């Protein structure tokens, strides 16, 4: 039986750009799926198709038991969406924004006011509740937008890069809100470029690139695919970088990557702390002085590089499907 969010063979094109190239998803009820991928991979386009903002060219999508293409109005009544950019009315106060959303969902005025007050407190906006949104900082607007997505508690939620622009304290607060929602039975599709965020929240992770799902599993399973561990070394003298790279190559399961400006070298390894001690001895034998050395688990970029052949781009994905399309055109032009 399909999950609360189900997609099979979703295809969406923009001119000659194939933004989605047969995306398959199946998210069981009451779980979180983390949708990871580099900029332009198709994450936002997927969300927009599943939430009826875009019509897929082909394929099937069912959300909360309703066909997305056949019954879009019914889907909209059953889902909540927080997009990449804050969608708030700058000329209304924070409280008025949330009350307006509640009334659009046909809540009674008193109930909408009570819910708005709850969310303002929950998102640390109570002190600014009666200021117009145009006076809010970027992070405050983001929190207000997220609060608006939670005015009602729909069975299915979509959050597209929800913590972009949030400081660590507010990011953690949002994680707590999401965990509470899911524990109450809400199904969530979360797009993110932060593996740490997926670690905290997602039961399962899909990695997408060029409009296709290229890997799926838990965070630990995806990390294991990248080689398990990394040795990072910062050499004291820049002229020792080449020699250190040769030393690390002898211990690694692949080529060492080098950051010239920080004098840092990284190589995938297996062997744990025992291997680290051997690396230190070998570097010392070659007369290479080091400022720092450590063993760590793979990062988001390690996973992306292993699975996609390139690093995750740190900038935001842009404005939905149009930006997905532009990014893929630029990528194709670079590859030629």
């Amino acid at each position: 039986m399909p999950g609360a969010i189900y997609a099979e063979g979703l295809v969406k094109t923009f001119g000659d750009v194939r933004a989605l190239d047969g995306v398959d998803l199946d998210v069981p009820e009451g779980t979180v799926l983390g949708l990871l991928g580099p900029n332009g991979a198709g994450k936002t386009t997927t969300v927009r198709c599943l939430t009826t903002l875009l019509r897929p060219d082909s394929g099937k999508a069912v959300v909360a038991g309703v066909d997305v293409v056949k019954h879009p109005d019914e889907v909209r009544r059953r889902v909540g969406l927080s997009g990449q950019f804050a969608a708030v009315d700058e000329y209304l106060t924070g409280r008025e924004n949330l009350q307006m959303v509640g009334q659009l969902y046909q809540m009674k005025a008193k109930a909408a006011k009570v819910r708005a007050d709850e969310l303002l407190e929950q998102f640390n906006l109570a002190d600014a509740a009666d200021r117009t949104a145009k006076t809010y900082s970027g992070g405050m607007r983001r929190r207000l937008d997220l609060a608006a997505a939670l005015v009602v508690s729909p069975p299915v939620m979509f959050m597209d890069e929800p913590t972009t622009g949030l400081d660590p304290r507010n990011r953690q607060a949002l994680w707590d809100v999401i965990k509470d929602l899911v524990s109450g039975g809400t199904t969530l599709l979360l797009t993110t470029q932060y593996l740490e965020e997926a670690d905290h929240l997602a039961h399962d992770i899909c990695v997408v690139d060029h409009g296709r799902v290229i890997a799926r599993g838990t965070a630990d399973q995806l990390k294991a695919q990248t080689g398990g561990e990394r040795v990072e070394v910062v050499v004291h003298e820049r002229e020792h970088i080449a020699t250190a790279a040769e030393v690390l190559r002898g211990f690694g399961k692949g080529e060492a990557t080098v950051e010239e400006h920080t004098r840092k070298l990284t190589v995938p390894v297996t062997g744990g702390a025992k291997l680290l001690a051997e690396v230190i001895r070998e570097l010392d034998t070659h007369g290479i002085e080091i400022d720092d050395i450590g063993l760590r688990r793979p990062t988001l970029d390690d996973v992306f590089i292993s699975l996609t052949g390139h690093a995750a781009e740190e900038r935001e994905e842009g404005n939905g499907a149009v930006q997905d399309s532009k990014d893929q055109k630029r990528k194709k032009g670079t590859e030629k």
Side-chain angles (χ1 to χ4, degrees):
M1 181 177 178
I5 303 172
Y6 177 79
E8 182 179 340
L10 281 188
V11 173
K12 183 63 183 178
T13 58
F14 300 95
D16 60 348
V17 176
R18 204 171 177 87
L20 298 184
D21 193 17
V23 169
D24 297 324
L25 298 173
D26 192 359
V27 189
E29 185 176 344
T31 67
V32 180
L33 176 70
L35 200 60
L36 299 180
N39 191 43
K43 302 188 302 295
T44 294
T45 303
T46 299
V47 169
R48 290 168 69 86
C49 285
L50 292 172
T51 55
T52 76
L53 297 178
L54 282 175
R55 185 184 179 95
D57 298 331
S58 61
K60 180 179 181 180
V62 177
V63 175
V66 180
D67 189 288
V68 168
V69 174
K70 294 179 180 178
H71 306 289
D73 290 341
E74 184 61 27
V75 170
R76 292 180 196 124
R77 283 191 282 268
R78 300 188 184 198
V79 304
L81 169 65
S82 174
Q84 280 190 4
F85 300 98
V88 299
D89 190 319
E90 292 188 342
Y91 295 96
L92 296 180
T93 67
R95 177 177 282 110
E96 289 169 344
N97 265 284
L98 298 183
Q99 289 177 321
M100 176 186 69
V101 172
Q103 290 176 316
L104 288 172
Y105 274 105
Q106 299 182 348
M107 294 175 67
K108 292 184 178 179
K110 184 176 180 180
K113 182 179 184 305
V114 170
R115 182 58 176 155
D117 289 341
E118 291 174 351
L119 289 166
L120 289 165
E121 190 69 38
Q122 190 172 29
F123 282 88
N124 297 314
L125 292 169
D127 291 342
D130 295 314
R131 284 168 41 193
T132 56
K134 67 180 178 180
T135 68
Y136 284 17
S137 67
M140 291 171 70
R141 292 188 192 194
R142 188 66 179 138
R143 280 147 49 200
L144 181 62
D145 181 65
L146 292 166
L150 299 174
V151 168
V152 295
S153 298
V156 178
M157 280 288 300
F158 294 86
M159 292 188 175
D160 194 7
E161 305 280 2
T163 60
T164 298
L166 297 186
D167 60 46
R169 180 170 63 92
N170 284 302
R171 180 175 292 170
Q172 183 63 57
L174 177 61
W175 288 353
D176 291 340
V177 170
I178 290 173
K179 288 176 182 176
D180 288 343
L181 280 173
V182 176
S183 66
T186 299
T187 305
L188 172 64
L189 189 148
L190 168 79
T191 79
T192 182
Q193 291 185 348
Y194 305 129
L195 190 57
E196 179 190 10
E197 187 158 87
D199 266 331
H200 275 79
L201 300 174
H203 298 88
D204 210 3
I205 295 170
C206 277
V207 180
V208 295
D209 195 30
H210 294 95
R212 287 181 174 272
V213 176
I214 61 172
R216 181 164 184 159
T218 65
D220 285 341
Q221 288 169 340
L222 293 178
K223 290 175 184 178
Q225 291 183 35
T226 69
E229 298 167 314
R230 297 288 186 276
V231 167
E232 285 186 345
V233 178
V234 178
V235 299
H236 185 67
E237 300 291 345
R238 196 173 302 277
E239 56 264 29
H240 287 156
I241 288 176
T243 306
E246 283 294 327
V247 171
L248 291 177
R249 190 177 295 116
F251 291 96
K253 300 298 181 183
E255 290 295 314
T257 59
V258 178
E259 297 178 13
E260 292 279 352
H261 63 291
T262 59
R263 308 183 309 283
K264 184 170 76 173
L265 300 93
T266 306
V267 65
V269 299
T270 57
K274 181 179 178 181
L275 178 70
L276 189 62
E278 294 175 8
V279 172
I280 294 172
R281 283 196 296 269
E282 190 67 19
L283 290 170
D284 186 58
T285 298
H286 284 75
I288 300 172
E289 185 179 352
I290 61 175
D291 290 341
D292 193 19
I293 188 168
L295 187 71
R296 63 165 175 79
R297 300 186 71 190
T299 64
L300 175 64
D301 273 350
D302 296 326
V303 172
F304 279 1
I305 290 170
S306 174
L307 294 174
T308 71
H310 53 86
E313 296 180 41
E314 292 180 355
R315 66 184 174 85
E316 293 177 12
E317 224 177 297
N319 190 13
V322 174
Q323 187 66 32
D324 276 343
S325 174
K326 290 179 179 178
D327 288 337
Q328 287 201 18
K329 285 182 178 178
R330 281 197 295 270
K331 193 178 300 178
K332 286 186 176 181
T334 302
E335 290 169 352
K336 289 181 180 179

